[in-house]
Every structure is written in C-alpha cells, then in structure tokens.
Amino acid sequence: MDRGTLPLAVALLLAGCSLSPTSLAETVHCDLQPVGPERGEVTYTTSQVSKGCVAQAPNAILEVHVLFLEFPTGPSQLELTLQASKQNGTRPREVLLVLSVNSSVFLHLQALGIPLHLAYNSSLVTFQEPPGVNTTELPSFPKTQILEWAAERGPITSAAELNDPQSILLRLGQAQGSLSFCMLEASQDMGRTLEWRPRTPALVRGCRLEGVAGHKEAHILRVLPGPRTVTVKVELSCAPGDLDAVLILQGPPYVSWLIDANHTMQIWTTGEYSFKIFPEKNIRGFKLPDTPQGLLGEARMLNASIVASFVELPLASIVSLHASSCGGRLQTSPAPIQTTPPKDTCSPELLMSLIQTKCADDAMTLVLKKELVAHLKCTITGLTFWDPSCEAEDRGDKFVLRSAYSSCGMQVSASMISNEAVVNILSSSSPQRKKVHCLNMDSLSFQLGLYLSPHFLQASNTIEPGQQSFVQVRVSPSISEFLLQLDSCHLDLGPEGGTVELIQGRAAKGNCVSLLSPSPEGDPRFSFLLHFYTVPIPKTGTLSCTVALRPKTGSQDQEVHRTVFMRLNIISPDLSGCTSKGLVLPAVLGITFGAFLIGALLTAALWYIYSHTRSPSKREPVVAVAAPASSESSSTNHSIGSTQSTPCSTSSMA
C-alpha cells in the first residue's frame, strides 16, 4: 500500500473497530477556555447570512443579485467568484451584481463566460486585476434605496448581508426559494445560491479532562442543521506516531461527513462518514449527545486526557481544522515561540497592483494611496520613474508621481508611451518594478470590417437577409500590451426595422449570433444571420460596436473604450430568414398570379360549357363578364398590398 494512504487506512480500521458509546452518569470536569491560534484554528464555509433572501424569477431576462458587505475599519481583501449553472448548451442569462461596501476593498473577481454587469462604488472598490466586465457607478443610497434601485432593473433573485467575508461563491441560476419577491430576513440560509467564508476563524476552546492520564487528545466539532454533506479537513502538525487522537463530529443524523485527515485518528460521528481516499465507503456512525457536556463525556470515555479543540459552528459545508498540539505535550503557557513569519507581511506583488496610472494632457500620472499601503503593512522609502531623479510627491493621503511624455525616461512610440514605476520598500533589499503605459489615442485607428465568408478575406458593405455575415474589429497599429475586446454590438435599421442587439455584455444575443475565435493578431470576431418578418425591408443599416482596450496586466484605470460603426447596404433577392417561416414576397406574388390565371381559365371554361349547352332561344349577349374580372383584379391588388407588409412570418400573414 502507498505510504501516503497508510494513516487514513489505519484510521478507517480504527473507526470500524470502535465500540458503541455509552452515556456517562457522572459529571465531567473540563473548563473550556479559548485557545490561541498558534494551538488551533478552525475556518469554515457557510451558507447562513445575517440577513438575506432568495426568490425565483424564471422568466426574467436579467438575473439580479445584491450583496451588502460590512468590513472592519481599513481596507480588506475579498475573493468573489460567480459560477454559472449548466444550461444544456444555452447561454446564461445576463447578470446584474450590485456590490455595496462600507470601506475600502481589494477585489479579486472571477466571472468567466458570464455576461456580467457590476454596479459598485469605484472610490471604495479596487480591482486586483482588470475585471473585464461592464461596470456601473452605484449611487450612494441606504440599503432600502439600493434594493429599490436594483429592483427597477429587474426582479431581485438574491440579496444578502455579510460581515467581513474573506471569499464568496455566488452560484447563478440556483435560486430555489419559494418567494416571488426578495425581502431580507434575519439568519437566512441561502442554500446553494451563496456560500462564503468568514475572515475571522471560529472560536476554538480547549480544556484538560480531570482524572484521565495519558496524552490522548480529542477534537470535537458540532454543526447546526444545514447541508447534507460536510467536508472536514484535519491537519495536525505532528510527526507520525507522536499523536494519539480522536475526532468527534456531532450534527443532525442525516449529515454525511467526508473526512480528509493527514494523521491516524479514531473517528466518532453521528450519521454516516467516509474518507476522501475511499469516498464510496460509507460507515455508520453513532447517536451522540447534542450538548457540550455530553460530548466532553464522550471524549473522556474514549480515554482522551485533553480536549485540544472544541468548536460549535453554524450551517457549514466545509470545515478546516489546523492544530499544532501533539498529544497534550504543548502547554497553554507560556505561549510557544513563533517560528514562522507573521501572515500580515508586505506583499510586493499586491502593492504594485495598486498603482493607478492616469494619462491626460500629454502627461503620465501615477497614484498610490497611503491607506492601501498601510493596510498591506508596507513601508515605502521611494517611488520614482525609471529616471530616479523623477520622484513622487507626498500629498497627504497619497503619493503622486507625474511627468510629461517628453521627460523622466519616457519611451515614446507611434501608439504608446512607456515607462517603469520603481518602488523601494523597507522589507525588500531590491526595488520593485512595474511597466506602466499610456496610449496615444490620436495614432490609433479602429476598423470595423464585414466579410462574406469565415475566411475573412473578402470585405463587403452589403448584407443579405438569410445569408451569414462575419464581422471583425481591429485596431492599428496593434499593441501587444493591451487586449482588444468586444463589449457590445447592435445593428440600427432605422424607424422601419428598429435596433437588433447582436452582442451585449460581451455575450452573444440570440441563436443567430455566434462569437468566433479571435484572429491570429487577437482581433475579436463574430458572425450573425439577419432575418426579417415585416416589410418594407430597410435598404440600409448602421452596425455599431463598442470595444475596449484593456491592459493584460495592470489596473482597470488604463482601460480605453471606443465605439466604431459602419454603414451597410441591405439587399433582398431572397427574403428567407434564419428559420424560413411563412411565405416570402416572391412566393406570394407567384401564388396570386397563379390564382388569377386559374380563375380566368376556370371562368372561360364555365362560360364555354354554358354557351354550348343552353338552347339558342335563351342565349343573350353577355355584358357583365368584366365585373368578375374587375372584382378579381381588385382582390388581387389588395392581396399584394397586404402581403408586402408581412413577409417571412406565418403569424403576421394571418
């Protein structure tokens, strides 16, 4: 057997051979007291929020989520992940996320493949990386008005208040609430819609069990009713063979525990449990007391002499236990000497990401806020350009470094002005360096091209309904440090045809629009298929696209947005559309003419039969033949006129 799996295999045998518990009648003497983080720390992921709601809005075009985040004084770091549910090949709905915070936040946002609109306060939220999503400035409203503001844009799917989160996972399309309207309620379980990890670890308490000899230690974890599966990860910093421990997990009887431990230990749980290396092997647990005193009694019955950690948690789906005690050999006092560097040390990478670059009036300006620097525990001794003689000014709450494009070692090319930000910090012997850029927008040219084939060889300014068109947006000269992206595109057909949305929120709109792979130079591409259901068909249209030049590294302050457009001619030799529904105009004209011709021949045949079968004495001159023909002609003209207004749609011809 692999040695890495040996401890857990032994744990499995110990768990299977454990005796059934028996209750203790005697009182257990064990005074639970908080223990320091150096002896044990428990972090967890939960779906319970101080206030929240989940509602269903299945027919809504826009999925709206609202997060109210409370942080302690000073900047904080937050990891926010949006995860789309599987839609069986269909594109996810557009999402509006309203982010309300009370203090400065460094935000790391992950929302790959999601058409996201983010509303936030740009003076409080700083992105560690360019978000690459559509953003909106959030008005400074109280909570009730923010909810009203969000509800005006679409029905709210979820809303939650979180206190000092470290990470948040928001699952889209997962709302299972029975409410049709989202109203905040206290102590709300968000289910699968939202899970988050508090920054502050859970309270860990410990004590020594009186009257029990030896060095066996117990780790006791209680969870409130909630998820059906709880993953427990246990990391004990003891050498193999130095530890004799028992893990006691108590919760509702329906909870299944998935245990991932790095040490051999005895397992004592309610419900069922399994090990990460044998997830399909479920072992039945026991009925355990649901009180702290009863669980301490279980620990004593299992011959534990010390309770190294006793933790009570709310609704939790993932729990991580880190402990450094080894069988009670570490004493509570004096505190152990710290052998590892503290967690709150200056991060040079994060510090450099906070430098904001602004370009205006033929000058480059770098700004670094002191509040953010202090939060990172950094001490800055200097901020300069590549030319060390160009030093930053101390303007009270920030450092400002400014230079014209013609000095301080600026490298000027046809499309870009480049330099280097150099930061000296006290905790590093070598300076930190970062490339900074300004775009020369006067030298950049944005082109919107229409092509008739996916090879993008033959440019055109004409589109034909029912024929696929291919579009490419490019910027010249190309800039390797920046990424060109399509934010939105639409086709304006004037008052006759209205506006056709093609791309919105960097996502395709409708089944007749497809985002294609970029060109070898990185130019964004897409295709669309135009169809009409009404006439007269417009003769011209305007294709407009909003593009963004985003730095591949750096802050979102360097993003540049431009709107490019081109005039298109529309020809209609064949008015068939994407779905070929209904009768088109040539078909209607053909049917009308055929009906007229058949009617005329049928009338002539009837007249011939009539004139040759009646007796000669009753024959009279015919003077009223023109009347039916005139009526038929009138009917034909009316039919042609009505068909011109509604081709390509069966429903519109009814």
Side-chain angles (χ1 to χ4, degrees):
M1 180 182 294
D2 181 59
R3 293 192 177 191
T5 63
L6 183 59
L8 288 180
V10 175
L12 184 63
L13 293 175
L14 286 174
C17 296
S18 298
L19 300 175
S20 60
T22 58
S23 61
L24 295 179
E26 57 185 292
T27 303
V28 179
H29 297 284
C30 190
D31 186 17
L32 289 170
Q33 295 294 329
V35 301
E38 69 279 355
R39 292 200 56 206
E41 183 178 88
V42 173
T43 58
Y44 62 98
T45 299
T46 179
S47 59
Q48 184 172 1
V49 298
S50 56
K51 286 186 179 180
C53 60
V54 179
Q56 288 189 344
N59 299 322
I61 299 176
L62 186 67
E63 186 173 339
V64 181
H65 298 268
V66 183
L67 294 178
F68 298 103
L69 308 181
E70 296 287 337
F71 294 96
T73 304
S76 301
Q77 298 184 40
L78 173 66
E79 182 177 331
L80 176 58
T81 303
L82 273 65
Q83 188 179 90
S85 60
K86 295 182 179 179
Q87 302 285 336
N88 296 325
T90 61
R91 298 182 180 90
R93 286 188 297 178
E94 292 183 38
V95 178
L96 170 63
L97 176 60
V98 180
L99 199 61
S100 173
V101 300
N102 68 324
S103 63
S104 298
V105 178
F106 304 131
L107 179 62
H108 179 54
L109 177 65
Q110 298 183 60
L112 296 177
I114 297 174
L116 175 63
H117 302 259
L118 182 64
Y120 70 103
N121 187 338
S122 59
S123 63
L124 295 178
V125 179
T126 302
F127 292 95
Q128 293 187 13
E129 297 177 1
V133 298
N134 292 332
T135 59
T136 302
E137 185 69 22
L138 181 65
S140 298
F141 290 151
K143 291 181 181 179
T144 54
Q145 286 186 299
I146 288 178
L147 288 173
E148 294 174 357
W149 183 87
E152 290 175 356
R153 283 142 184 83
I156 298 177
T157 301
S158 76
E161 293 185 10
L162 306 179
N163 185 24
D164 197 15
Q166 183 176 1
S167 65
I168 301 173
L169 173 60
L170 182 62
R171 295 186 178 94
L172 308 176
Q174 295 287 335
Q176 300 294 328
S178 59
L179 301 176
S180 58
F181 182 76
C182 206
M183 296 184 62
L184 294 177
E185 297 181 1
S187 300
Q188 181 71 17
D189 179 11
M190 302 295 289
R192 284 189 51 80
T193 300
L194 184 145
E195 290 184 338
W196 66 293
R197 185 169 70 247
R199 189 180 315 277
T200 304
L203 174 63
V204 180
R205 296 181 292 169
C207 63
R208 183 172 294 279
L209 289 161
E210 297 181 6
V212 182
H215 300 287
K216 187 175 184 178
E217 69 179 35
H219 298 273
I220 304 175
L221 173 65
R222 293 183 65 202
V223 297
L224 296 177
R228 303 192 67 88
T229 301
V230 178
T231 300
V232 181
K233 184 175 183 179
V234 182
E235 291 186 1
L236 304 178
S237 55
C238 296
D242 288 350
L243 178 66
D244 184 12
V246 57
L247 178 64
I248 301 176
L249 305 176
Q250 190 273 329
Y254 59 79
V255 170
S256 296
W257 309 87
L258 180 61
I259 301 172
D260 181 12
N262 69 338
H263 263 274
T264 301
M265 51 198 322
Q266 191 175 1
I267 308 298
W268 211 248
T269 76
T270 55
E272 292 184 345
Y273 64 95
S274 60
F275 294 95
K276 188 175 182 179
I277 60 171
F278 306 123
E280 69 283 349
K281 178 65 175 179
N282 290 326
I283 304 172
R284 186 177 299 277
F286 313 107
K287 183 178 181 181
L288 299 180
D290 59 357
T291 62
Q293 189 71 13
L295 293 175
L296 293 174
E298 295 292 327
R300 179 174 180 177
M301 184 200 67
L302 295 170
N303 297 320
S305 61
I306 183 172
V307 177
S309 59
F310 185 97
V311 183
E312 296 178 285
L313 295 176
L315 310 175
S317 57
I318 301 175
V319 181
S320 296
L321 168 64
H322 302 268
S324 58
S325 58
C326 296
R329 297 179 186 178
L330 292 179
Q331 301 298 320
T332 57
S333 61
I337 299 175
Q338 184 173 326
T339 58
T340 57
K343 294 182 180 179
D344 294 333
T345 58
C346 178
S347 171
E349 295 79 11
L350 184 56
L351 173 66
M352 300 303 288
S353 70
L354 299 178
I355 298 177
Q356 299 179 357
T357 306
K358 299 181 180 180
C359 308
D361 302 327
D362 294 332
M364 179 186 295
T365 304
L366 306 184
V367 178
L368 183 57
K369 296 181 180 179
K370 287 185 177 180
E371 180 187 20
L372 306 180
V373 175
H375 175 73
L376 295 179
K377 311 297 183 185
C378 297
T379 302
I380 294 181
T381 59
L383 170 60
T384 69
F385 279 120
W386 176 83
D387 184 350
S389 63
C390 299
E391 299 180 339
E393 299 179 11
D394 188 342
R395 296 189 182 177
D397 61 339
K398 57 189 174 183
F399 297 104
V400 178
L401 179 59
R402 178 181 172 87
S403 170
Y405 292 160
S406 58
S407 60
C408 291
M410 297 284 179
Q411 296 180 356
V412 181
S413 65
S415 58
M416 190 168 59
I417 299 93
S418 304
N419 208 316
E420 194 174 52
V422 182
V423 180
N424 292 282
I425 57 178
L426 193 61
S427 59
S428 177
S429 58
S430 58
Q432 306 299 315
R433 300 178 180 272
K434 173 186 177 181
K435 293 289 185 180
V436 289
H437 313 279
C438 283
L439 291 176
N440 184 4
M441 297 305 300
D442 295 336
S443 67
L444 295 180
S445 174
F446 294 85
Q447 296 97 30
L448 188 62
L450 182 78
Y451 298 84
L452 303 179
S453 73
H455 303 293
F456 291 89
L457 298 177
Q458 182 182 358
S460 175
N461 64 348
T462 301
I463 59 177
E464 179 179 338
Q467 299 295 323
Q468 197 167 23
S469 301
F470 300 86
V471 180
Q472 175 177 274
V473 184
R474 57 189 302 268
V475 59
S476 59
S478 61
I479 309 172
S480 59
E481 293 82 1
F482 283 74
L483 182 66
L484 182 63
Q485 292 180 319
L486 269 175
D487 281 349
S488 64
C489 285
H490 68 269
L491 183 61
D492 186 0
L493 299 173
E496 298 175 340
T499 300
V500 180
E501 296 291 344
L502 302 175
I503 297 176
Q504 199 172 70
R506 299 170 60 193
K509 296 282 291 183
N511 296 327
C512 291
V513 184
S514 299
L515 294 176
L516 306 177
S517 299
S519 70
E521 295 77 21
D523 301 325
R525 293 171 167 177
F526 72 96
S527 67
F528 69 94
L529 193 61
L530 186 64
H531 55 280
F532 292 94
Y533 293 109
T534 59
V535 292
I537 293 177
K539 300 297 183 183
T540 61
T542 302
L543 178 63
S544 301
C545 291
T546 300
V547 296
L549 271 175
R550 294 186 169 95
K552 294 180 179 179
T553 59
S555 67
Q556 69 274 16
D557 298 305
Q558 295 178 266
E559 289 186 9
V560 176
H561 296 265
R562 286 292 183 273
T563 299
V564 290
F565 61 90
M566 67 178 299
R567 296 282 292 176
L568 299 176
N569 297 319
I570 303 174
I571 59 175
S572 53
D574 180 6
L575 299 183
S576 60
C578 179
T579 55
S580 299
K581 293 181 179 178
L583 298 175
V584 295
L585 185 58
V588 172
L589 293 175
I591 293 174
T592 303
F593 179 75
F596 171 75
L597 185 61
I598 292 173
L601 293 175
L602 183 59
T603 302
L606 292 175
W607 169 246
Y608 178 82
I609 295 172
Y610 173 73
S611 61
H612 286 76
T613 55
R614 68 174 183 159
S615 59
S617 61
K618 294 183 178 180
R619 292 181 182 178
E620 297 177 359
V622 178
V623 295
V625 175
S630 174
S631 176
E632 180 71 22
S633 175
S634 175
S635 174
T636 302
N637 292 336
H638 176 73
S639 174
I640 294 174
S642 62
T643 304
Q644 284 180 335
S645 63
T646 56
C648 289
S649 175
T650 303
S651 59
S652 59
M653 288 189 66

